[in-house]
Amino acid sequence: MHYVAIDLHKRYSVASALNEQGQRTREARIEGNSAAGFAQFFHGLGGPSKVVIEATWNWGRVHDLLEAIEEVEEVVLAHPYKTRIIAEAQVKTDKLDARALARLLRADLVARAHIPSPETRRRKEVLRQRVFWVRVRTMVRNRVHQLLDRQPKIDLPQVSDLFGARGLAAMKKLQLPEPDDTQLRQDLGLLEELQRRIKELEAMIEAQNAGDGPTEILSSLPGLGKILAAVVAAEIDNIERFAHPKKLLAYAGLAPTTHSSGGKTYNGPLMPMCNKWLRWAFVEAAWVAVGHSNYLGGLYRQHRARGKSANTAIVIVARRMAEIAWQMLRHRRSYEDRPLTQNTFPDRSEHALVEVAS
């Protein structure tokens, strides 16, 4: 058995191989990260290989190339944050990075990251593309607000959403002094194009997730509509990976950092090393859920009454939603928002409310 580490880069990779005795058998620089280059390297080793790569830029393409090579028995994805032996090295080169990873792989000390299936990765990319366009749309809307606020006097209707049908129609009729008028036309045109692209992606997301069991179960949780439910389902990928709700909370970055020493324990900010897409989805959903769920809204108000800030209280709600999502997915149950009673929140250990889907 050969143990091979590949230090990935955008236009090339450096591979280093060890045998079972820990002796370095081969090293090479593979230009262009081509399938033929990787196949030639592994064929030259003359035996089966285990491979490790880091979860860096576009790792999925190289992972799939390696899995297709006959001599490769297993491809391990190393967690980049936990592979500290490379990050903290005083002397750091591509070859040294590959050699360090190869030694970790041979000793079975690699901190492994989850490898989603190609289908799940494609679903994630569509969802993340929509998130990207929505963020761009928010940036453009903020520019429109800034442009309108610097006008001395404009006549716009009193509407709750300036970018709804009435608001957009009124803005299109405005005649502003140059160059503001040209900028407004450009921004409104860009918003129309962004809205069209977002609708296209939403139709694609709905088609991709039609009949997907986890997405349908999660969509019953208040705040998780079709889009956020699809994001949570794709990022969790398989609830069996998490043996306990606390494991999911840590993965989603909704658990606080903890420092305990000398009999004293300090809970700090949220964990930084996490799945940021999953944390974002639960926090976004929590803001909606507190206005539509008796239980989650009551939980939010309880912690606000205890003196917690709005952001802290909403993170508590997001944490509870993640715990409920774990229960729902593990037991294939839908959410039921039961009426509040005096004993709904007897202490800080209240349980999730779920029932078997009909």
Side-chain angles (χ1 to χ4, degrees):
M1 180 64 67
H2 295 272
Y3 301 92
V4 182
I6 298 177
D7 187 42
L8 292 178
H9 294 275
K10 186 175 182 179
R11 294 183 175 85
Y12 71 92
S13 292
V14 174
S16 180
L18 300 177
N19 59 18
E20 291 183 345
Q21 290 72 39
Q23 299 169 332
R24 196 175 308 120
T25 56
R26 191 178 187 190
E27 287 184 336
R29 176 181 168 122
I30 301 168
E31 299 291 344
N33 294 328
S34 64
F38 285 116
Q40 183 180 7
F41 177 85
F42 286 99
H43 183 70
L45 292 176
S49 300
K50 290 185 178 180
V51 191
V52 59
I53 59 175
E54 278 193 294
T56 56
W57 175 267
N58 279 339
W59 63 265
R61 172 182 170 274
V62 175
H63 172 273
D64 295 343
L65 288 178
L66 295 173
E67 276 204 328
I69 297 174
E70 183 179 356
E71 291 83 3
V72 175
E73 285 196 356
E74 182 185 9
V75 181
V76 176
L77 187 65
H79 195 296
Y81 290 112
K82 295 181 180 179
T83 312
R84 304 189 58 147
I85 190 172
I86 294 175
E88 296 179 352
Q90 296 297 312
V91 180
K92 189 176 186 303
T93 67
D94 295 340
K95 280 188 178 181
L96 292 178
D97 288 354
R99 291 172 184 176
L101 269 178
R103 288 193 294 268
L104 289 176
L105 178 64
R106 176 175 170 269
D108 195 21
L109 295 174
V110 174
R112 301 188 178 214
H114 173 63
I115 302 177
S117 66
E119 179 184 355
T120 301
R121 277 182 262 148
R122 287 191 290 269
R123 287 172 56 197
K124 284 185 179 183
E125 291 306 322
V126 175
L127 289 163
R128 292 174 181 182
Q129 178 79 341
R130 181 194 174 274
V131 173
F132 171 75
W133 286 130
V134 169
R135 289 176 177 173
V136 174
R137 182 180 66 183
T138 301
M139 292 171 61
V140 177
R141 286 180 173 180
N142 289 339
R143 288 189 62 83
V144 172
H145 281 297
Q146 181 187 32
L147 187 151
L148 296 177
D149 287 344
R150 66 173 178 248
Q151 306 306 314
K153 185 178 180 180
I154 53 176
D155 185 19
L156 287 175
Q158 295 296 319
V159 292
S160 58
D161 182 10
L162 182 61
F163 298 96
R166 286 185 60 199
L168 286 173
M171 284 190 288
K172 289 179 180 178
K173 296 178 181 178
L174 289 176
Q175 296 294 326
L176 304 180
E178 292 294 348
D180 289 351
D181 194 68
T182 298
Q183 292 178 19
L184 180 62
R185 306 296 158 212
Q186 290 177 342
D187 290 342
L188 293 179
L190 182 55
L191 284 174
E192 288 184 0
E193 178 63 19
L194 288 172
Q195 190 64 23
R196 184 183 66 82
R197 293 180 183 273
I198 291 170
K199 291 295 183 183
E200 287 179 356
L201 288 171
E202 288 176 348
M204 186 181 298
I205 291 168
E206 188 171 354
Q208 284 182 337
N209 292 277
D212 181 65
T215 302
E216 291 182 354
I217 290 172
L218 288 169
S219 62
S220 67
L221 185 60
L224 287 179
K226 293 181 179 179
I227 302 300
L228 289 179
V231 171
V232 172
E235 297 299 334
I236 291 177
D237 194 17
N238 181 7
I239 196 61
E240 301 300 328
R241 298 197 290 132
F242 307 100
H244 192 273
K246 290 182 179 179
K247 299 288 187 180
L248 179 59
L249 293 181
Y251 181 69
L254 292 171
T257 54
T258 302
H259 301 275
S260 183
S261 179
K264 296 182 179 180
T265 300
Y266 168 73
N267 291 320
L270 296 179
M271 299 177 66
M273 293 185 294
C274 66
N275 185 318
K276 292 181 173 55
W277 295 98
L278 196 54
R279 180 162 70 186
W280 166 82
F282 275 122
V283 171
E284 287 291 307
W287 284 111
V288 178
V290 295
H292 294 80
S293 166
N294 291 328
Y295 175 75
L296 297 172
L299 179 64
Y300 174 80
R301 291 187 292 273
Q302 179 204 37
H303 285 282
R304 289 289 283 148
R306 293 178 59 236
K308 300 292 185 181
S309 68
N311 287 337
T312 300
I314 212 67
V315 169
I316 294 172
V317 174
R319 186 180 302 136
R320 182 56 48 85
M321 291 178 68
E323 292 173 340
I324 295 173
W326 185 90
Q327 295 284 351
M328 293 166 63
L329 291 174
R330 290 282 289 200
H331 303 291
R332 302 191 64 81
R333 298 176 176 180
S334 292
Y335 179 84
E336 178 193 5
D337 197 27
R338 298 177 182 174
L340 296 181
T341 66
Q342 292 183 351
N343 296 322
T344 298
F345 304 117
D347 52 36
R348 299 179 64 182
S349 61
E350 60 271 21
H351 298 287
L353 306 176
V354 292
E355 68 170 5
V356 177
S358 57

